[in-house]
Amino acid sequence: MEYNEKLELVLIEKETEYLVSFSIHPDDWIARFDKSLSRAREWASNMVELYNNRFAQEIEN
């Protein structure tokens, strides 16, 4: 199976929040992390990285 970057998650930074969405539909976010939380960027980044790594592993197998 060929790797499809459109199925990757992306991190989108807004003024007051971090959004996580699929790259094919960036306006249709699936998770929102309020910047008032001290670890919001870390949590959002971890979500993106974990999903994308697992997705890439599934494609390789």
Side-chain angles (χ1 to χ4, degrees):
M1 180 181 277
E2 192 173 304
Y3 181 67
N4 186 344
E5 291 181 9
K6 293 179 181 179
L7 295 177
E8 282 190 320
L9 288 184
V10 293
L11 175 64
I12 301 167
E13 184 173 358
K14 300 283 187 173
E15 186 175 330
T16 61
E17 62 198 4
Y18 296 104
L19 303 174
V20 176
S21 69
F22 284 105
S23 57
I24 193 170
H25 296 292
D27 293 330
D28 188 17
W29 53 269
I30 58 173
R32 178 187 171 278
F33 299 88
D34 193 293
K35 284 186 172 181
S36 66
L37 302 169
S38 63
R39 298 178 68 188
R41 183 175 183 87
E42 178 185 352
W43 292 340
S45 295
N46 286 343
M47 182 178 183
V48 169
E49 185 177 340
L50 178 65
Y51 176 86
N52 290 343
N53 286 341
R54 294 242 174 123
F55 180 70
Q57 288 175 1
E58 287 293 321
I59 296 299
E60 290 174 3
N61 293 329

Short mmCIF file of all heavy atoms in Angstrom, two decimals:
data_model
loop_
_atom_site.label_atom_id
_atom_site.label_comp_id
_atom_site.label_asym_id
_atom_site.label_seq_id
_atom_site.Cartn_x
_atom_site.Cartn_y
_atom_site.Cartn_z
N MET A 1 0.84 -1.18 0.00
CA MET A 1 0.00 0.00 0.00
C MET A 1 0.88 1.24 0.00
O MET A 1 1.87 1.30 0.67
CB MET A 1 -0.91 -0.01 1.23
CG MET A 1 -1.83 1.19 1.30
SD MET A 1 -2.87 1.19 2.79
CE MET A 1 -4.16 0.11 2.22
N GLU A 2 0.47 2.23 -0.74
CA GLU A 2 1.24 3.46 -0.85
C GLU A 2 0.89 4.43 0.28
O GLU A 2 -0.27 4.54 0.68
CB GLU A 2 0.93 4.12 -2.20
CG GLU A 2 1.86 5.24 -2.57
CD GLU A 2 1.61 5.72 -3.99
OE1 GLU A 2 1.67 4.88 -4.90
OE2 GLU A 2 1.35 6.91 -4.15
N TYR A 3 1.88 5.11 0.81
CA TYR A 3 1.69 6.08 1.89
C TYR A 3 0.93 7.28 1.36
O TYR A 3 1.25 7.83 0.32
CB TYR A 3 3.05 6.49 2.44
CG TYR A 3 2.98 7.45 3.58
CD1 TYR A 3 2.44 7.06 4.80
CD2 TYR A 3 3.43 8.75 3.45
CE1 TYR A 3 2.37 7.94 5.87
CE2 TYR A 3 3.37 9.63 4.50
CZ TYR A 3 2.83 9.21 5.70
OH TYR A 3 2.77 10.09 6.75
N ASN A 4 -0.08 7.70 2.08
CA ASN A 4 -0.92 8.82 1.66
C ASN A 4 -0.81 9.95 2.69
O ASN A 4 -1.40 9.86 3.76
CB ASN A 4 -2.36 8.35 1.52
CG ASN A 4 -3.27 9.41 0.96
OD1 ASN A 4 -2.94 10.59 0.93
ND2 ASN A 4 -4.43 9.00 0.52
N GLU A 5 -0.09 11.01 2.36
CA GLU A 5 0.11 12.11 3.29
C GLU A 5 -1.18 12.82 3.66
O GLU A 5 -1.26 13.47 4.68
CB GLU A 5 1.11 13.12 2.71
CG GLU A 5 2.51 12.58 2.64
CD GLU A 5 3.49 13.58 2.08
OE1 GLU A 5 3.13 14.76 1.90
OE2 GLU A 5 4.63 13.18 1.82
N LYS A 6 -2.22 12.67 2.86
CA LYS A 6 -3.49 13.33 3.15
C LYS A 6 -4.13 12.76 4.41
O LYS A 6 -4.97 13.40 5.02
CB LYS A 6 -4.44 13.19 1.96
CG LYS A 6 -3.98 13.95 0.75
CD LYS A 6 -4.92 13.77 -0.41
CE LYS A 6 -4.41 14.53 -1.62
NZ LYS A 6 -5.28 14.37 -2.77
N LEU A 7 -3.75 11.56 4.80
CA LEU A 7 -4.31 10.94 5.98
C LEU A 7 -3.51 11.26 7.24
O LEU A 7 -3.86 10.82 8.32
CB LEU A 7 -4.40 9.43 5.80
CG LEU A 7 -5.37 8.97 4.71
CD1 LEU A 7 -5.33 7.46 4.56
CD2 LEU A 7 -6.77 9.44 5.00
N GLU A 8 -2.48 12.05 7.11
CA GLU A 8 -1.69 12.45 8.27
C GLU A 8 -2.45 13.47 9.10
O GLU A 8 -3.27 14.23 8.58
CB GLU A 8 -0.38 13.10 7.83
CG GLU A 8 0.67 12.15 7.39
CD GLU A 8 2.00 12.86 7.22
OE1 GLU A 8 2.02 14.01 6.71
OE2 GLU A 8 3.01 12.27 7.59
N LEU A 9 -2.13 13.49 10.38
CA LEU A 9 -2.63 14.57 11.23
C LEU A 9 -1.67 15.74 11.16
O LEU A 9 -0.47 15.56 10.96
CB LEU A 9 -2.74 14.10 12.68
CG LEU A 9 -3.84 13.11 13.00
CD1 LEU A 9 -3.88 12.83 14.50
CD2 LEU A 9 -5.19 13.59 12.52
N VAL A 10 -2.21 16.93 11.31
CA VAL A 10 -1.40 18.15 11.32
C VAL A 10 -1.77 18.98 12.53
O VAL A 10 -2.89 18.92 13.03
CB VAL A 10 -1.59 18.98 10.03
CG1 VAL A 10 -1.04 18.24 8.83
CG2 VAL A 10 -3.04 19.36 9.81
N LEU A 11 -0.82 19.76 13.00
CA LEU A 11 -1.02 20.67 14.12
C LEU A 11 -1.19 22.07 13.55
O LEU A 11 -0.36 22.54 12.77
CB LEU A 11 0.19 20.64 15.06
CG LEU A 11 0.20 21.62 16.21
CD1 LEU A 11 -0.95 21.35 17.17
CD2 LEU A 11 1.52 21.57 16.93
N ILE A 12 -2.27 22.72 13.93
CA ILE A 12 -2.56 24.07 13.47
C ILE A 12 -2.58 24.99 14.68
O ILE A 12 -3.32 24.75 15.63
CB ILE A 12 -3.91 24.12 12.74
CG1 ILE A 12 -3.89 23.16 11.54
CG2 ILE A 12 -4.24 25.53 12.30
CD1 ILE A 12 -5.24 22.89 10.93
N GLU A 13 -1.76 26.03 14.63
CA GLU A 13 -1.72 26.97 15.74
C GLU A 13 -2.59 28.18 15.43
O GLU A 13 -2.44 28.82 14.39
CB GLU A 13 -0.28 27.43 16.01
CG GLU A 13 -0.18 28.33 17.22
CD GLU A 13 1.25 28.66 17.60
OE1 GLU A 13 2.18 28.18 16.94
OE2 GLU A 13 1.41 29.43 18.57
N LYS A 14 -3.50 28.47 16.33
CA LYS A 14 -4.36 29.66 16.25
C LYS A 14 -3.96 30.59 17.38
O LYS A 14 -3.11 30.27 18.21
CB LYS A 14 -5.83 29.26 16.37
CG LYS A 14 -6.31 28.31 15.30
CD LYS A 14 -6.54 29.03 14.01
CE LYS A 14 -7.18 28.10 12.99
NZ LYS A 14 -7.57 28.77 11.78
N GLU A 15 -4.61 31.72 17.47
CA GLU A 15 -4.26 32.70 18.49
C GLU A 15 -4.42 32.17 19.91
O GLU A 15 -3.55 32.39 20.76
CB GLU A 15 -5.12 33.96 18.32
CG GLU A 15 -4.73 35.08 19.25
CD GLU A 15 -5.52 36.34 18.98
OE1 GLU A 15 -5.91 36.58 17.84
OE2 GLU A 15 -5.74 37.08 19.96
N THR A 16 -5.49 31.44 20.17
CA THR A 16 -5.77 30.98 21.53
C THR A 16 -5.81 29.47 21.69
O THR A 16 -6.12 28.98 22.77
CB THR A 16 -7.13 31.54 22.01
OG1 THR A 16 -8.15 31.05 21.14
CG2 THR A 16 -7.12 33.05 22.03
N GLU A 17 -5.48 28.74 20.62
CA GLU A 17 -5.62 27.29 20.68
C GLU A 17 -4.73 26.58 19.67
O GLU A 17 -4.24 27.19 18.73
CB GLU A 17 -7.07 26.89 20.44
CG GLU A 17 -7.56 27.30 19.05
CD GLU A 17 -9.06 27.33 18.90
OE1 GLU A 17 -9.77 27.11 19.89
OE2 GLU A 17 -9.51 27.59 17.78
N TYR A 18 -4.55 25.29 19.92
CA TYR A 18 -3.90 24.40 18.96
C TYR A 18 -4.97 23.43 18.48
O TYR A 18 -5.72 22.88 19.30
CB TYR A 18 -2.76 23.61 19.61
CG TYR A 18 -1.63 24.48 20.09
CD1 TYR A 18 -1.48 24.77 21.43
CD2 TYR A 18 -0.71 25.00 19.18
CE1 TYR A 18 -0.44 25.57 21.88
CE2 TYR A 18 0.34 25.80 19.62
CZ TYR A 18 0.46 26.08 20.96
OH TYR A 18 1.49 26.88 21.40
N LEU A 19 -5.05 23.24 17.19
CA LEU A 19 -6.01 22.32 16.61
C LEU A 19 -5.27 21.16 15.96
O LEU A 19 -4.19 21.33 15.40
CB LEU A 19 -6.88 23.02 15.56
CG LEU A 19 -7.64 24.25 16.03
CD1 LEU A 19 -8.33 24.92 14.86
CD2 LEU A 19 -8.62 23.89 17.12
N VAL A 20 -5.86 19.99 16.02
CA VAL A 20 -5.33 18.82 15.34
C VAL A 20 -6.38 18.40 14.33
O VAL A 20 -7.56 18.27 14.66
CB VAL A 20 -5.06 17.67 16.33
CG1 VAL A 20 -4.60 16.42 15.59
CG2 VAL A 20 -4.01 18.09 17.36
N SER A 21 -5.94 18.21 13.09
CA SER A 21 -6.88 17.79 12.04
C SER A 21 -6.15 16.94 11.02
O SER A 21 -4.91 16.87 11.00
CB SER A 21 -7.50 19.01 11.37
OG SER A 21 -6.54 19.70 10.61
N PHE A 22 -6.92 16.29 10.16
CA PHE A 22 -6.32 15.57 9.05
C PHE A 22 -5.90 16.59 8.00
O PHE A 22 -6.59 17.59 7.77
CB PHE A 22 -7.32 14.58 8.43
CG PHE A 22 -7.50 13.35 9.27
CD1 PHE A 22 -8.64 13.16 10.03
CD2 PHE A 22 -6.51 12.37 9.31
CE1 PHE A 22 -8.80 12.03 10.81
CE2 PHE A 22 -6.66 11.25 10.09
CZ PHE A 22 -7.80 11.07 10.84
N SER A 23 -4.76 16.35 7.38
CA SER A 23 -4.22 17.32 6.43
C SER A 23 -5.15 17.57 5.25
O SER A 23 -5.14 18.66 4.69
CB SER A 23 -2.85 16.86 5.94
OG SER A 23 -2.93 15.58 5.36
N ILE A 24 -5.99 16.61 4.92
CA ILE A 24 -6.90 16.78 3.79
C ILE A 24 -8.06 17.73 4.13
O ILE A 24 -8.63 18.35 3.25
CB ILE A 24 -7.43 15.41 3.30
CG1 ILE A 24 -8.11 15.56 1.96
CG2 ILE A 24 -8.30 14.75 4.33
CD1 ILE A 24 -8.45 14.26 1.29
N HIS A 25 -8.39 17.86 5.42
CA HIS A 25 -9.49 18.73 5.85
C HIS A 25 -9.06 19.56 7.06
O HIS A 25 -9.57 19.36 8.17
CB HIS A 25 -10.73 17.90 6.23
CG HIS A 25 -11.33 17.16 5.11
ND1 HIS A 25 -11.96 17.77 4.05
CD2 HIS A 25 -11.41 15.83 4.86
CE1 HIS A 25 -12.39 16.86 3.21
NE2 HIS A 25 -12.06 15.68 3.68
N PRO A 26 -8.15 20.50 6.89
CA PRO A 26 -7.62 21.22 8.04
C PRO A 26 -8.65 22.06 8.80
O PRO A 26 -8.47 22.34 9.99
CB PRO A 26 -6.52 22.10 7.45
CG PRO A 26 -6.83 22.18 6.00
CD PRO A 26 -7.54 20.92 5.64
N ASP A 27 -9.74 22.44 8.17
CA ASP A 27 -10.76 23.24 8.86
C ASP A 27 -11.71 22.38 9.69
O ASP A 27 -12.48 22.90 10.49
CB ASP A 27 -11.58 24.06 7.86
CG ASP A 27 -10.74 25.13 7.18
OD1 ASP A 27 -9.79 25.63 7.82
OD2 ASP A 27 -11.02 25.46 6.02
N ASP A 28 -11.65 21.09 9.52
CA ASP A 28 -12.52 20.16 10.25
C ASP A 28 -11.67 19.46 11.31
O ASP A 28 -11.31 18.31 11.18
CB ASP A 28 -13.12 19.16 9.26
CG ASP A 28 -14.17 18.27 9.89
OD1 ASP A 28 -14.68 18.62 10.97
OD2 ASP A 28 -14.48 17.23 9.29
N TRP A 29 -11.37 20.17 12.39
CA TRP A 29 -10.45 19.66 13.40
C TRP A 29 -11.07 18.53 14.19
O TRP A 29 -12.28 18.43 14.32
CB TRP A 29 -9.94 20.78 14.30
CG TRP A 29 -10.99 21.62 14.95
CD1 TRP A 29 -11.53 22.77 14.46
CD2 TRP A 29 -11.61 21.39 16.21
NE1 TRP A 29 -12.45 23.26 15.35
CE2 TRP A 29 -12.53 22.43 16.43
CE3 TRP A 29 -11.49 20.41 17.18
CZ2 TRP A 29 -13.32 22.52 17.57
CZ3 TRP A 29 -12.27 20.48 18.32
CH2 TRP A 29 -13.17 21.54 18.50
N ILE A 30 -10.19 17.68 14.74
CA ILE A 30 -10.65 16.54 15.53
C ILE A 30 -10.28 16.66 17.01
O ILE A 30 -10.82 15.95 17.84
CB ILE A 30 -10.13 15.20 14.97
CG1 ILE A 30 -8.62 15.18 14.92
CG2 ILE A 30 -10.71 14.94 13.60
CD1 ILE A 30 -8.04 13.85 14.53
N ALA A 31 -9.38 17.58 17.33
CA ALA A 31 -9.02 17.83 18.72
C ALA A 31 -8.62 19.30 18.86
O ALA A 31 -8.04 19.88 17.95
CB ALA A 31 -7.88 16.93 19.17
N ARG A 32 -8.95 19.86 20.02
CA ARG A 32 -8.64 21.26 20.30
C ARG A 32 -7.99 21.34 21.67
O ARG A 32 -8.47 20.76 22.63
CB ARG A 32 -9.93 22.07 20.30
CG ARG A 32 -9.74 23.51 20.63
CD ARG A 32 -11.11 24.20 20.77
NE ARG A 32 -10.95 25.52 21.29
CZ ARG A 32 -10.81 25.84 22.56
NH1 ARG A 32 -10.81 24.92 23.49
NH2 ARG A 32 -10.65 27.09 22.94
N PHE A 33 -6.87 22.07 21.74
CA PHE A 33 -6.14 22.25 22.98
C PHE A 33 -6.02 23.75 23.25
O PHE A 33 -5.39 24.47 22.47
CB PHE A 33 -4.76 21.61 22.91
CG PHE A 33 -4.80 20.13 22.68
CD1 PHE A 33 -4.86 19.61 21.39
CD2 PHE A 33 -4.81 19.25 23.74
CE1 PHE A 33 -4.90 18.24 21.17
CE2 PHE A 33 -4.86 17.88 23.54
CZ PHE A 33 -4.91 17.37 22.25
N ASP A 34 -6.62 24.22 24.31
CA ASP A 34 -6.60 25.63 24.67
C ASP A 34 -5.20 26.03 25.13
O ASP A 34 -4.60 25.35 25.96
CB ASP A 34 -7.62 25.89 25.77
CG ASP A 34 -7.88 27.35 25.98
OD1 ASP A 34 -6.95 28.06 26.43
OD2 ASP A 34 -9.00 27.79 25.69
N LYS A 35 -4.70 27.14 24.61
CA LYS A 35 -3.35 27.59 24.96
C LYS A 35 -3.20 27.99 26.42
O LYS A 35 -2.09 28.12 26.92
CB LYS A 35 -2.91 28.76 24.05
CG LYS A 35 -2.51 28.32 22.67
CD LYS A 35 -1.97 29.51 21.91
CE LYS A 35 -1.37 29.11 20.59
NZ LYS A 35 -0.83 30.27 19.85
N SER A 36 -4.31 28.18 27.12
CA SER A 36 -4.20 28.51 28.54
C SER A 36 -3.68 27.33 29.36
O SER A 36 -3.22 27.52 30.48
CB SER A 36 -5.56 28.98 29.08
OG SER A 36 -6.49 27.90 29.06
N LEU A 37 -3.74 26.14 28.80
CA LEU A 37 -3.17 24.96 29.45
C LEU A 37 -1.67 24.93 29.18
O LEU A 37 -1.24 25.05 28.04
CB LEU A 37 -3.83 23.68 28.92
CG LEU A 37 -5.34 23.61 29.09
CD1 LEU A 37 -5.91 22.45 28.31
CD2 LEU A 37 -5.69 23.49 30.56
N SER A 38 -0.89 24.76 30.21
CA SER A 38 0.56 24.89 30.08
C SER A 38 1.18 23.88 29.12
O SER A 38 2.19 24.17 28.50
CB SER A 38 1.23 24.78 31.45
OG SER A 38 1.00 23.50 32.00
N ARG A 39 0.58 22.71 28.98
CA ARG A 39 1.18 21.68 28.11
C ARG A 39 0.38 21.45 26.84
O ARG A 39 0.50 20.42 26.19
CB ARG A 39 1.30 20.39 28.90
CG ARG A 39 2.23 20.57 30.12
CD ARG A 39 2.35 19.36 30.96
NE ARG A 39 3.05 18.31 30.23
CZ ARG A 39 3.16 17.07 30.67
NH1 ARG A 39 2.64 16.72 31.82
NH2 ARG A 39 3.79 16.17 29.96
N ALA A 40 -0.42 22.42 26.45
CA ALA A 40 -1.31 22.26 25.29
C ALA A 40 -0.54 21.91 24.02
O ALA A 40 -0.92 21.00 23.29
CB ALA A 40 -2.13 23.52 25.09
N ARG A 41 0.52 22.64 23.74
CA ARG A 41 1.28 22.36 22.51
C ARG A 41 1.91 20.96 22.56
O ARG A 41 1.90 20.24 21.58
CB ARG A 41 2.36 23.41 22.28
CG ARG A 41 3.11 23.17 20.97
CD ARG A 41 4.12 24.26 20.65
NE ARG A 41 4.75 24.01 19.39
CZ ARG A 41 4.29 24.39 18.20
NH1 ARG A 41 3.17 25.07 18.12
NH2 ARG A 41 4.93 24.10 17.09
N GLU A 42 2.43 20.60 23.71
CA GLU A 42 3.04 19.28 23.87
C GLU A 42 2.01 18.17 23.61
O GLU A 42 2.28 17.21 22.91
CB GLU A 42 3.62 19.14 25.27
CG GLU A 42 4.24 17.79 25.55
CD GLU A 42 4.70 17.66 27.00
OE1 GLU A 42 4.69 18.64 27.75
OE2 GLU A 42 5.07 16.53 27.36
N TRP A 43 0.83 18.30 24.20
CA TRP A 43 -0.21 17.29 24.02
C TRP A 43 -0.65 17.19 22.56
O TRP A 43 -0.79 16.09 22.02
CB TRP A 43 -1.41 17.60 24.90
CG TRP A 43 -1.17 17.47 26.36
CD1 TRP A 43 -0.16 16.77 26.97
CD2 TRP A 43 -1.91 18.08 27.41
NE1 TRP A 43 -0.25 16.90 28.34
CE2 TRP A 43 -1.31 17.70 28.64
CE3 TRP A 43 -3.01 18.92 27.44
CZ2 TRP A 43 -1.80 18.12 29.86
CZ3 TRP A 43 -3.50 19.33 28.67
CH2 TRP A 43 -2.89 18.94 29.86
N ALA A 44 -0.85 18.34 21.93
CA ALA A 44 -1.26 18.35 20.53
C ALA A 44 -0.17 17.74 19.64
O ALA A 44 -0.45 16.92 18.76
CB ALA A 44 -1.60 19.76 20.09
N SER A 45 1.07 18.13 19.88
CA SER A 45 2.19 17.59 19.09
C SER A 45 2.33 16.09 19.28
O SER A 45 2.58 15.35 18.32
CB SER A 45 3.49 18.28 19.49
OG SER A 45 3.46 19.63 19.17
N ASN A 46 2.18 15.63 20.52
CA ASN A 46 2.27 14.20 20.79
C ASN A 46 1.17 13.42 20.07
O ASN A 46 1.41 12.33 19.55
CB ASN A 46 2.21 13.92 22.29
CG ASN A 46 3.49 14.28 23.01
OD1 ASN A 46 4.53 14.45 22.39
ND2 ASN A 46 3.39 14.42 24.31
N MET A 47 -0.03 13.97 20.05
CA MET A 47 -1.14 13.32 19.36
C MET A 47 -0.83 13.16 17.87
O MET A 47 -1.01 12.10 17.29
CB MET A 47 -2.42 14.13 19.54
CG MET A 47 -3.63 13.53 18.90
SD MET A 47 -5.07 14.58 19.25
CE MET A 47 -6.32 13.58 18.45
N VAL A 48 -0.34 14.24 17.26
CA VAL A 48 0.00 14.23 15.84
C VAL A 48 1.12 13.21 15.57
O VAL A 48 1.03 12.38 14.66
CB VAL A 48 0.41 15.64 15.36
CG1 VAL A 48 1.04 15.60 13.97
CG2 VAL A 48 -0.80 16.57 15.39
N GLU A 49 2.17 13.26 16.37
CA GLU A 49 3.32 12.38 16.17
C GLU A 49 2.96 10.91 16.36
O GLU A 49 3.34 10.06 15.55
CB GLU A 49 4.45 12.77 17.12
CG GLU A 49 5.72 11.98 16.89
CD GLU A 49 6.84 12.43 17.80
OE1 GLU A 49 6.80 13.54 18.34
OE2 GLU A 49 7.79 11.64 17.96
N LEU A 50 2.23 10.62 17.41
CA LEU A 50 1.84 9.24 17.67
C LEU A 50 0.99 8.68 16.54
O LEU A 50 1.25 7.59 16.03
CB LEU A 50 1.08 9.14 19.00
CG LEU A 50 0.58 7.76 19.38
CD1 LEU A 50 1.75 6.82 19.62
CD2 LEU A 50 -0.31 7.84 20.61
N TYR A 51 -0.02 9.41 16.12
CA TYR A 51 -0.89 8.93 15.04
C TYR A 51 -0.09 8.74 13.75
O TYR A 51 -0.20 7.71 13.09
CB TYR A 51 -2.05 9.90 14.79
CG TYR A 51 -2.89 9.47 13.62
CD1 TYR A 51 -3.92 8.56 13.80
CD2 TYR A 51 -2.62 9.93 12.34
CE1 TYR A 51 -4.66 8.12 12.71
CE2 TYR A 51 -3.35 9.51 11.25
CZ TYR A 51 -4.38 8.60 11.44
OH TYR A 51 -5.11 8.17 10.36
N ASN A 52 0.68 9.75 13.38
CA ASN A 52 1.42 9.67 12.11
C ASN A 52 2.44 8.54 12.12
O ASN A 52 2.63 7.86 11.10
CB ASN A 52 2.08 11.01 11.79
CG ASN A 52 1.05 12.06 11.42
OD1 ASN A 52 -0.10 11.75 11.09
ND2 ASN A 52 1.45 13.31 11.48
N ASN A 53 3.11 8.30 13.24
CA ASN A 53 4.06 7.19 13.33
C ASN A 53 3.36 5.84 13.21
O ASN A 53 3.83 4.95 12.51
CB ASN A 53 4.85 7.26 14.63
CG ASN A 53 5.89 8.35 14.62
OD1 ASN A 53 6.29 8.86 13.58
ND2 ASN A 53 6.31 8.75 15.81
N ARG A 54 2.25 5.70 13.89
CA ARG A 54 1.50 4.44 13.82
C ARG A 54 0.93 4.21 12.43
O ARG A 54 0.93 3.11 11.91
CB ARG A 54 0.36 4.43 14.85
CG ARG A 54 0.87 4.43 16.26
CD ARG A 54 0.44 3.19 17.00
NE ARG A 54 1.06 3.14 18.30
CZ ARG A 54 0.38 3.06 19.43
NH1 ARG A 54 -0.93 3.01 19.42
NH2 ARG A 54 1.03 3.01 20.56
N PHE A 55 0.43 5.27 11.81
CA PHE A 55 -0.11 5.16 10.45
C PHE A 55 1.00 4.74 9.49
O PHE A 55 0.80 3.86 8.66
CB PHE A 55 -0.71 6.51 10.03
CG PHE A 55 -1.28 6.49 8.64
CD1 PHE A 55 -2.44 5.79 8.36
CD2 PHE A 55 -0.66 7.18 7.62
CE1 PHE A 55 -2.95 5.76 7.08
CE2 PHE A 55 -1.16 7.18 6.33
CZ PHE A 55 -2.32 6.47 6.05
N ALA A 56 2.18 5.33 9.61
CA ALA A 56 3.30 4.99 8.74
C ALA A 56 3.71 3.53 8.94
O ALA A 56 4.02 2.83 7.97
CB ALA A 56 4.48 5.92 9.00
N GLN A 57 3.68 3.05 10.18
CA GLN A 57 4.03 1.65 10.46
C GLN A 57 3.01 0.70 9.82
O GLN A 57 3.37 -0.35 9.30
CB GLN A 57 4.10 1.41 11.95
CG GLN A 57 5.30 2.02 12.62
CD GLN A 57 5.28 1.86 14.13
OE1 GLN A 57 4.37 1.27 14.70
NE2 GLN A 57 6.29 2.40 14.78
N GLU A 58 1.74 1.05 9.87
CA GLU A 58 0.70 0.22 9.27
C GLU A 58 0.89 0.13 7.76
O GLU A 58 0.69 -0.92 7.16
CB GLU A 58 -0.69 0.78 9.58
CG GLU A 58 -1.11 0.59 11.00
CD GLU A 58 -1.32 -0.88 11.37
OE1 GLU A 58 -1.85 -1.65 10.54
OE2 GLU A 58 -0.91 -1.26 12.47
N ILE A 59 1.28 1.23 7.15
CA ILE A 59 1.49 1.25 5.70
C ILE A 59 2.66 0.35 5.32
O ILE A 59 2.62 -0.34 4.32
CB ILE A 59 1.73 2.70 5.21
CG1 ILE A 59 0.49 3.56 5.46
CG2 ILE A 59 2.14 2.73 3.76
CD1 ILE A 59 -0.74 3.12 4.75
N GLU A 60 3.71 0.35 6.15
CA GLU A 60 4.90 -0.44 5.86
C GLU A 60 4.63 -1.94 5.97
O GLU A 60 5.29 -2.74 5.32
CB GLU A 60 6.03 -0.06 6.81
CG GLU A 60 6.58 1.31 6.56
CD GLU A 60 7.61 1.74 7.59
OE1 GLU A 60 7.93 0.94 8.50
OE2 GLU A 60 8.08 2.87 7.51
N ASN A 61 3.70 -2.33 6.81
CA ASN A 61 3.42 -3.77 7.02
C ASN A 61 2.46 -4.32 6.01
O ASN A 61 1.88 -3.95 5.22
CB ASN A 61 2.86 -4.01 8.42
CG ASN A 61 3.91 -3.70 9.47
OD1 ASN A 61 5.09 -3.87 9.24
ND2 ASN A 61 3.47 -3.26 10.62
#
